[in-house]
Amino acid sequence: MALRYIPISTPVAEQLRQGGKDAYGNLPERQISDGDGVPCRHCLRNVDAGEAFLIFSMRPFTSLQPYAETGPVFMHADNCPAYDEAVRPPILASGKDFLLRGYGSDERIVYGTGSVVPADEVETRAQELLAMADVASVHVRSARCNCYQCRIEAA
């Protein structure tokens, strides 16, 4: 099964870069990367040392409901292209392991789908989850901090 890696949309990225408010109604914070562990959720690449990035809260769901988690994420402060490739994004190759969870079309967790997997098994586990009839998408999160990385869907 071919996979699609879904980043923050370009309109949302631009809105935040132009001073729009995050999921908690706050302005994004601007920082300078030290080059260590600053994954951009728009281009799905790491922010290099010396580059500016934004920190903001994100809720990667379209509806407010009990499973709609919100948390901190990073993004390049300056324009970067939205990730649009069919291979595992760089931010998912730079970590040791990730938490994957399946979500139904109602954006609620499908129980029994959550597991921490090594980075080199992300695609295989995502394919297994997406092959389940009740799983519409997979969220990838940091196994250490639970920060949202991206969404995976069947291509």
Side-chain angles (χ1 to χ4, degrees), residues 4-18:
R4 226 175 103 218
Y5 298 88
I6 314 295
I8 293 174
S9 73
T10 298
V12 169
E14 285 308 307
Q15 180 251 344
L16 289 161
R17 287 182 179 125
Q18 299 301 320

Side-chain angles (χ1 to χ4, degrees), residues 24-62:
Y24 288 139
N26 297 316
L27 294 174
E29 297 178 11
R30 187 179 177 96
Q31 300 284 327
I32 300 299
S33 175
D34 63 4
D36 185 29
V38 184
C40 176
R41 290 357 185 262
H42 185 245
C43 68
L44 303 185
R45 289 171 172 73
N46 288 307
V47 178
D48 291 332
E51 290 185 321
F53 68 97
L54 301 176
I55 305 170
F56 55 94
S57 65
M58 181 178 166
R59 185 180 54 250
F61 299 88
T62 60

Side-chain angles (χ1 to χ4, degrees), residues 6 23-24 32 42 57-58 65 72-73 75 81 90-91 108 111 113 118 127 129 131 133-134 136 141-142 146-147 151:
I6 314 295
Y24 288 139
I32 300 299
H42 185 245
S57 65
M58 181 178 166
Q65 37 88 5
V73 295
M75 179 178 67
I91 66 168
R108 292 173 180 256
Y111 283 97
T113 62
Q127 289 168 338
L129 292 173
D134 50 350
R141 292 180 172 268
S142 161
N146 196 38
C147 299
R151 186 175 76 241

Side-chain angles (χ1 to χ4, degrees), residues 76-118:
H76 282 101
D78 298 318
N79 289 337
C80 61
Y83 189 81
D84 188 26
E85 298 177 37
V87 296
R88 181 172 39 154
I91 66 168
L92 300 186
S94 61
K96 179 179 164 185
D97 50 13
F98 295 92
L99 169 62
L100 272 66
R101 281 197 299 243
Y103 287 80
S105 59
D106 61 356
E107 296 186 310
R108 292 173 180 256
I109 295 169
V110 176
Y111 283 97
T113 62
S115 62
V116 174
V117 299

